[in-house]
Amino acid sequence: MSHRIGKRTIRLDNQVGIRSAAAVAGKKEGEGPLSKFFDKVYKDDLLGEETWERAESRLQHNAAECALAGAGMTADEIDAVFAGDLLNQCISSTFGLESFSIPFLGQYGACSTMAQAMLTAALLVDSGGLKNALAVTSSHFCSAERQFRLPIEYGGQRNLTSQWTVTGAGAAILSAEPSKIVVSDITVGKIVDMDIKDADNMGAAMAPAAADTISAYLSDSGTSAEDYDLILTGDLGFVGSELLCELMKQNKQDIAKQHNDCGKLIFSRTAQDVHAGGSGCGCCASVFCGYIMERLEYGELKNILFAPTGALLSPTSSQQGESIPGICHLLHIRRND
Amino acid sequence: MSHRIGKRTIRLDNQVGIRSAAAVAGKKEGEGPLSKFFDKVYKDDLLGEETWERAESRLQHNAAECALAGAGMTADEIDAVFAGDLLNQCISSTFGLESFSIPFLGQYGACSTMAQAMLTAALLVDSGGLKNALAVTSSHFCSAERQFRLPIEYGGQRNLTSQWTVTGAGAAILSAEPSKIVVSDITVGKIVDMDIKDADNMGAAMAPAAADTISAYLSDSGTSAEDYDLILTGDLGFVGSELLCELMKQNKQDIAKQHNDCGKLIFSRTAQDVHAGGSGCGCCASVFCGYIMERLEYGELKNILFAPTGALLSPTSSQQGESIPGICHLLHIRRND
């Protein structure tokens, strides 16, 4: 069972544990500052497959496989998988996970999809309907570039506010079994549209959604930023992160000390030429399932808010002159000490 | 709370009601046999908008508005909306629903999305986390044709096994309030891939998934086809429906008498030149929320299985020679007499 606290937050009455998590990443990510926190790093971004899309499917498959191995479980012990990605009709998830033969629920929240998958899984485990659920998301620089922007062969120059799609995937097993790390509360995001139309500046498009959800959660739970070791957004990058902290200040909540962003963490800004940071469904998934979970396990982090954002655009909507609506889903995750 | 019965089915312990449902449809659908069961029929398939994509968003918006009006509710009484569509990055849902400002969880299960949205909403209402949830999906012939196949101006000849994407949307409000019509059980589908590659024959690609899920539910619940007034698939159409009944016979379950399909019901095969029937996320959504809900309300139907199917392909996956995996989610819906 779960129950509402405040206006928009759901408190999980049972302890829903993150029993296992795994992150896999591509070559560039493996050369970045979080290198040692990935379960696997692939030197060949095709992962031995024939297409970038197949390679991205392989990332999801391998992340799920590592998470299962970490929990000492087989696929048939998982009651449902919640998965998504950025590709049209979420084909990375379909082709990456079909061989596991686990009941499948496709999720779409753009780069916030890992949070959506984890929170839905956590709620359904909490309700008693599922015992173990898997959340998986991925992105791949090459499949994303050619779908959303330009063929990579074209070598188009990138804007300084643009972000670099992470080649990576993360997988987490949510479970009714007692665990060291648990999901306590969740807040489902609203679509927030500030009429931003620059598809090369996703950080700006998503920051208002992050401010909306984080403010809602702090208000619903009667807490403030100081109560948390970390308030981690998904892929606002350098531009969006600054905007978020500004917006929160306007809401009279200063989160600058606690805030960080997966898009800022995954690459070195000075050494890796990624402009405004990392992005993609695989960004927050691989950073959370690798680096953050390890810090939670070792007790360096005890009590965090995980609040990935997504930009709900498509090439078609942008070509038709539509705005870029943002969304941000939040999970309160803590050590069960 | 909910609990598992059998291998894959979840029984909802509380009564989760379908408090209200509404269906809207385009011109061709309004000329078909279910005409009088739609809440609104639009003579102009652009619905006064400038693009087909905007028109599809408008369908979702209007269906949601009608469902809210039917329940005498406002958007701020809805705790979460579960929505999806066939367009890349699910833009019909984003742009159609953003103005309601309801916490939003994007769903992707291709043409099965309405079942996925309804079952997830039902489980979360059952768990206590949500009081009222909205499920909405749509499709539009013109936006789908140009995205998945050819520009409509091209006038390409259609294969006899191909189906006609429904211009329509359906919306249902799932609620903890006592209702005449309730969701009792759900079965989440697995991805079933029989290596079918003909994107002009979705019925054949999806029928094995329908057989898998329906068989699993009948086995888990210890029931047989005769226990139901209707076993309704989503858009197998004429070709896929025949295959499903054949596959079920091989499983020693004869469902031919109880089975029907939204893709067979929505158009007149003889008068409307739709070849193998209707399809799209709006097909099962508009048929269920209009025609079927009315028959349940009047007691002509009392106890049904609603099992929409989806084909998890994209134009990219098909162009790369991939197979077309299918999925089918099931809800057991009955009158609460």
Side-chain angles (χ1 to χ4, degrees), chain B residues 16-292:
Chain B
V16 172
I18 305 176
R19 187 166 165 177
S20 168
V24 302
K27 184 168 178 284
K28 190 181 182 88
E29 292 71 19
E31 291 162 355
L34 303 188
S35 178
K36 65 176 177 177
F37 298 100
F38 299 121
D39 293 80
K40 282 184 185 170
V41 171
Y42 303 97
K43 284 188 187 156
D44 165 22
D45 277 352
L46 269 171
L47 284 84
E49 300 285 346
E50 282 185 5
T51 64
W52 301 122
E53 290 73 18
R54 267 277 161 201
E56 187 179 334
S57 291
R58 177 61 53 193
L59 290 172
Q60 282 212 19
H61 184 93
N62 292 1
E65 213 165 50
C66 286
L68 287 166
M73 296 176 80
T74 55
D76 60 4
E77 294 174 82
I78 304 291
D79 301 322
V81 54
F82 300 80
D85 57 87
L86 293 173
L87 295 189
N88 299 342
Q89 289 75 54
C90 303
I91 52 168
S92 320
S93 306
T94 300
F95 292 102
L97 302 173
E98 64 172 342
S99 66
F100 290 115
S101 196
I102 305 171
F104 178 89
L105 290 163
Q107 307 295 308
Y108 188 74
C111 302
S112 75
T113 305
M114 188 60 178
Q116 175 176 326
M118 286 176 64
L119 76 83
T120 314
L123 285 169
L124 294 188
V125 168
D126 184 65
S127 78
L130 309 176
K131 280 203 179 114
N132 295 291
L134 180 62
V136 199
T137 65
S138 65
S139 53
H140 193 300
F141 177 77
C142 299
S143 61
E145 278 301 305
R146 72 171 168 192
Q147 180 184 279
F148 284 103
R149 284 167 284 267
L150 297 163
I152 43 170
E153 295 84 350
Y154 177 78
Q157 199 168 355
R158 302 172 62 248
N159 195 303
L160 281 174
T161 55
S162 71
Q163 293 171 240
W164 189 279
T165 305
V166 164
T167 297
I173 297 174
L174 286 293
S175 175
E177 297 279 310
S179 277
K180 208 191 285 182
I181 300 156
V182 297
V183 180
S184 288
D185 301 324
I186 65 104
T187 305
V188 178
K190 292 182 177 182
I191 301 172
V192 177
D193 191 343
M194 302 299 279
D195 208 31
I196 286 168
K197 296 189 175 180
D198 179 2
D200 280 330
N201 190 351
M202 302 289 194
M206 300 187 293
D212 179 69
T213 300
I214 295 169
S215 291
Y217 179 72
L218 294 177
S219 161
D220 286 348
S221 61
T223 60
S224 61
E226 296 82 51
D227 293 314
Y228 304 97
D229 302 330
L230 175 67
I231 298 174
L232 184 69
T233 46
D235 56 353
L236 292 178
F238 292 95
V239 177
S241 290
E242 210 177 310
L243 287 169
L244 169 62
C245 292
E246 277 299 316
L247 288 167
M248 291 300 290
K249 259 191 200 161
Q250 288 173 20
N251 291 351
K252 294 188 179 139
Q253 287 156 328
D254 187 355
I255 63 163
K257 272 189 201 152
Q258 290 78 26
H259 177 260
N260 211 330
D261 182 80
C262 300
K264 287 166 68 175
L265 289 165
I266 194 164
F267 295 121
S268 160
R269 192 180 197 182
T270 46
Q272 292 193 288
D273 188 30
V274 293
H275 297 203
S279 68
C281 293
C283 179
C284 66
S286 64
V287 172
F288 177 80
C289 292
Y291 176 56
I292 300 298

Side-chain angles (χ1 to χ4, degrees), chain A residues 99-164:
Chain A
S99 67
F100 289 115
S101 196
I102 304 171
F104 178 89
L105 290 163
Q107 307 294 308
Y108 189 74
C111 302
S112 75
T113 305
M114 189 58 176
Q116 174 176 327
M118 284 175 65
L119 76 80
T120 313
L123 285 169
L124 294 189
V125 168
D126 185 65
S127 79
L130 308 177
K131 281 202 177 117
N132 295 291
L134 180 63
V136 198
T137 66
S138 65
S139 52
H140 193 299
F141 177 77
C142 299
S143 61
E145 278 301 303
R146 73 170 168 193
Q147 179 184 279
F148 285 103
R149 285 166 286 265
L150 296 162
I152 43 171
E153 295 84 349
Y154 177 77
Q157 200 167 356
R158 301 171 63 249
N159 196 302
L160 280 173
T161 55
S162 70
Q163 293 171 242
W164 189 279

